[in-house]
Amino acid sequence: MPPQPDPPVPPTSGSPQPGLVAATFTVLWRRRGALAGATVRVVGLSGLAGLLVTTAIFALAWPLFTRMRNQRIWYHHIEDPYLHDQTDLVLVALGTLPLFLLLLGTGSAALQAVCSRAVVTESAQSAATARESRSGDPVRGRLRPVLAVYTLRGLIVWPLPLLVAFVANRLTGYHLDTPEPLERGSWPHTLVETSPAVAVFVAVLLRLALTLAPAAAAAGLGPRAAVRRSWSLTWTRAGAPRVLALALPLAALTAGVFRLVVQFALPLRPLVRGLVEQATGNFFAAYYAGMLAPVIVGVLVTTAVALPVTCTAFAVLHDRLRVPRTTARSAQDAADSTARHVCSPPGPRPE
């Protein structure tokens, strides 16, 4: 019997995949028009909404600023130094923090959907992916699922460190009205005092494990399914180091851009303070407005620069981690089918 030729092995992909960084910047460059337009719209609308919310908060807190001004005038009249109490303002800021988190989450979800659409469009892993990229179905109307993922991830990650920090403060903190329950210097006191750091470390691990969840939701999964997929993809031999290697430089980039922009925007402080004080006559409102101005500029510029890169990079990583399983299985099925076809005897097949 003549020797049979070796069955051809189908390639797993049409061309070798570029690196993660190269693929990310390829998507950013080829889809720069859509991404830039979406970024400008999202950052512009978020900045306008944030400015309106901040103005409303200052209007609600105006009695506090008025009381501070009156107390300052009184203490200056009796020639005593005045140190204003910031407790009420901190409570107002904490009460309005969910509004700003909602704005940030909505903007991030919108950019994540746009970046995931760009990644899907550029992906050529399979014919099904190509059809999805032409139709746009995977990410059409994915804003609410992605926003739900942000909410669900926050509920998973942050309650533990907040609860531990509150309990540790009650047990080891200095309170004038109640004595310390734990003796300072004892080992229970030391354990409780260091427990917030351990809780923050656990929260960071959970946050890293759920980093791919927004990209999974933008690709078509529901919130809980996206969280489960991110968990399963991250805690693998290939997923964990790649997520960590991508998250650390992006976090450093975000922190560096924010710090640099805030430093460049520091001249806005005296300008905004002078304008607000001239318009309202309240030094304390002008002071806090001047303090917030560089921070707001830093948040907006950092969002416009770092968020598209971050969302695109994690969308590419999610696509890389989930596709090889299907690709390898399809390649094995094709190889088995080719081998059966080559090894089958020639002649008519039985009916």
Side-chain angles (χ1 to χ4, degrees), residues 20-269:
L20 183 61
V21 176
T24 300
F25 282 99
T26 298
V27 174
L28 291 173
W29 175 252
R30 291 181 179 177
R31 305 293 165 181
R32 58 188 181 276
L35 293 178
T39 302
V40 171
R41 289 192 298 270
V42 169
V43 174
L45 292 176
S46 300
L48 179 60
L51 182 61
L52 293 177
V53 171
T54 304
T55 304
I57 292 172
F58 268 71
L60 292 175
W62 200 258
L64 299 178
F65 295 129
T66 303
R67 188 179 65 185
M68 291 179 183
R69 182 192 62 185
N70 294 337
Q71 288 180 348
R72 182 190 182 193
I73 294 174
W74 169 252
Y75 275 87
H76 179 72
H77 175 70
I78 63 176
E79 297 182 351
D80 280 347
Y82 170 65
L83 298 177
H84 66 281
D85 187 9
Q86 301 177 353
T87 304
D88 294 335
L89 288 178
V90 171
L91 293 177
V92 171
L94 291 177
T96 56
L97 182 61
L99 296 176
F100 292 99
L101 293 179
L102 179 61
L103 284 176
L104 182 60
T106 304
S108 301
L111 281 181
Q112 182 67 69
V114 174
C115 294
S116 295
R117 180 182 294 115
V119 172
V120 171
T121 303
E122 290 295 322
S123 177
Q125 299 295 331
S126 62
T129 306
R131 286 195 300 271
E132 289 172 356
S133 66
R134 287 193 297 269
S135 64
D137 291 339
V139 289
R140 182 179 297 170
R142 302 306 300 172
L143 178 60
R144 286 192 297 178
V146 177
L147 189 58
V149 163
Y150 279 108
T151 304
L152 182 59
R153 187 174 63 181
L155 294 176
I156 294 173
V157 172
W158 297 116
L160 176 63
L162 293 178
L163 178 61
V164 172
F166 175 78
V167 173
N169 180 66
R170 299 304 300 178
L171 294 178
T172 63
Y174 180 73
H175 304 282
L176 294 177
D177 53 344
T178 57
E180 291 186 356
L182 299 178
E183 182 181 357
R184 186 175 299 273
S186 62
W187 66 267
H189 184 280
T190 304
L191 290 179
V192 173
E193 193 176 25
T194 58
S195 59
V198 179
V200 169
F201 179 74
V202 174
V204 170
L205 290 181
L206 290 174
R207 178 62 176 80
L208 287 175
L210 304 180
T211 300
L212 301 177
L221 295 180
R224 289 184 294 179
V227 169
R228 289 194 297 266
R229 170 173 285 183
S230 178
W231 183 273
S232 62
L233 291 179
T234 302
W235 293 116
T236 58
R237 184 176 300 178
R242 297 177 75 177
V243 169
L244 186 62
L246 185 61
L248 291 180
L250 289 176
L253 171 67
T254 303
V257 172
F258 178 76
R259 177 68 176 175
L260 185 63
V261 174
V262 170
Q263 289 296 320
F264 276 107
L266 285 180
L268 289 176
R269 282 184 177 177

